[in-house]
Amino acid sequence: IRCMLMLRTMRPHRIQHNLMASLHIPNNPPRPSLNLLHPRNSFKGVYDIYGLVKVSPELEYHVISAESSRGGRATINFFDPISVKALNTALLAKDYGVSFWSLPPGKLCPPVPGRADYVHHIADVLSESSSTGKVPTGPGVRGIDIGTGASLIYPLLGAGSYGWSFRGTECDKISFNSATLNLNSNLAVPVASKLAPGVRNLSKSAPPPQSTSSVLLQAGLAASEVRLQGSKINIFQGVFEGGVEADFTMCNPPFYTSLGAFEKASARKQVNLKRSSKKKGGTVSVLKKKSLLPPSAKTGSNNFGGGGSELWCSGGEVAFISSIISDSKSHPRSRCMWFSSLVSRRENLEQLRSQLKKSDGVTATREIPMGQGHKTSTVLMWSFLSERERHSW
């Protein structure tokens, strides 16, 4: 009765305000986030920070404790590129058996969970042509990684997950040297490809722990190689030489149309990251003690790094993927079962779909959505083989 009397005497706007407050409904609800992570992705949405520290002790220098984090969970400062690099190094070590991972200053540090999803979706498509219906594994499954980058990320993930072998191509000499170093330094006995002149092999004499991922990684990388690509225009020039056949190609194309477009987007991203960093408690206090920082620590302006051909090209991702589609038609159908590329913007898909429809010989396409949080992308795949040819591949 007392409540009814109170409601009668309240003005309508006060009733609405009190009800909203009691139900904890925000006046401006946040945008719904998406979680499209692949079921086989080792990342389940929350980083096990202290579990990662056990396999990669250097990460401890960058940890923000649960007590210092406003979210109440141990984390890192994602505004700091050195912390981001340390986190992804730990993820590669823990989940994929990677014992060594180096990046030259300024080169792109790819986020492992998102890149792993691309690999797992490729695996699902390959299973469609498998006689058992299961994902094919082992070095007999070969991928072509277009623009493998300094990180060699897709060959490391593909080998660590399924034991696949790769031929990675790279047109930038610094990235080529780094990718070759990452390949050979993860082999107990480097045999897959020779180091570029002036590059030291930093692999340890002791073999890596023989976890399942380590065994798969060794098997895949032992049959892999990195090639310096001479042509930036003819993307597949020399890639299939020597009678090489590939089950698939993959690519993470340059996203931006110019350096200016990248800098504008990067500045906007840094503002958002600073806000996020403050909400999470800012930089971890131990980082203020410079004597505790690892010698390799250097600062950077972009939290995931990257520049040049890694992030922008004339025409952006549409022009780059269009070149892949055009160039894929000029090679014998028997050389590759599936071509693919990551597409960062959904609005670019229509133009790429149109090009594929007009491409003679394309028999099948796939569009696979990927995403985490507010960022989404699509794996675009196409084949020149009939369904029967793919099953007998």
Side-chain angles (χ1 to χ4, degrees), residues 1 7 17 70 85 103 149 204 207 213 227 231 281 306 314 327:
I1 294 173
L7 288 172
H17 173 77
R70 187 166 295 183
K85 164 66 165 52
L103 294 175
K204 301 176 182 178
S213 57
R227 294 170 61 92
S231 175
S314 178
D327 206 18

Side-chain angles (χ1 to χ4, degrees), residues 22-269:
S22 65
L23 294 173
H24 300 286
I25 300 175
N27 290 325
N28 295 307
R31 283 190 307 162
S33 61
L34 299 175
N35 188 358
L36 301 177
L37 286 172
H38 193 281
R40 289 195 299 276
N41 198 317
S42 299
F43 179 65
K44 302 304 180 186
V46 177
Y47 295 107
D48 177 12
I49 295 294
Y50 292 111
L52 292 169
V53 167
K54 290 180 181 179
V55 297
S56 185
E58 187 174 295
L59 178 62
E60 188 171 8
Y61 293 106
H62 307 276
V63 173
I64 301 173
S65 67
E67 293 75 18
S68 300
S69 169
R70 187 166 295 183
R73 182 183 292 123
T75 184
I76 66 163
N77 182 3
F78 285 91
F79 178 64
D80 177 20
I82 307 305
S83 297
V84 171
K85 164 66 165 52
L87 174 65
N88 284 281
T89 299
L91 289 170
L92 286 171
K94 181 176 181 291
D95 297 326
Y96 303 97
V98 176
S99 59
F100 176 90
W101 196 51
S102 176
L103 294 175
K107 291 301 181 182
L108 182 67
C109 175
V112 168
R115 299 296 195 265
D117 255 20
Y118 188 0
V119 171
H120 292 310
H121 285 301
I122 291 281
D124 287 344
V125 174
L126 294 182
S127 70
E128 296 174 5
S129 303
S130 171
S131 59
T132 62
K134 297 180 179 179
V135 174
T137 59
V141 180
R142 178 175 287 271
I144 303 292
D145 183 18
I146 303 167
T148 195
S151 65
L152 194 74
I153 189 65
Y154 287 128
L156 291 176
L157 294 174
S161 299
Y162 302 110
W164 295 344
S165 62
F166 283 81
R167 173 174 280 187
T169 69
E170 180 55 57
C171 61
D172 179 79
K173 289 185 178 180
I174 294 176
S175 294
F176 166 74
N177 284 345
S178 176
T180 306
L181 175 63
N182 284 322
L183 171 61
N184 281 339
S185 295
N186 278 286
L187 291 170
V189 180
V191 295
S193 65
K194 296 180 180 179
L195 286 170
V199 178
R200 295 182 296 120
N201 180 10
L202 301 183
S203 62
K204 301 176 182 178
S205 56
Q210 291 301 297
S211 63
T212 301
S213 57
S214 294
V215 172
L216 290 170
L217 184 80
Q218 293 287 309
L221 294 188
S224 298
E225 63 177 331
V226 182
R227 294 170 61 92
L228 185 62
Q229 179 72 326
S231 175
K232 295 183 180 181
I233 300 175
N234 300 315
I235 294 174
F236 290 109
Q237 181 177 311
V239 171
F240 294 103
E241 69 180 20
V244 168
E245 295 179 350
D247 297 276
F248 63 92
T249 72
M250 59 194 312
C251 179
N252 203 89
F255 177 74
Y256 299 99
T257 57
S258 66
L259 172 59
F262 161 71
E263 290 178 336
K264 184 177 180 180
S266 182
R268 184 168 58 250
K269 182 179 180 181

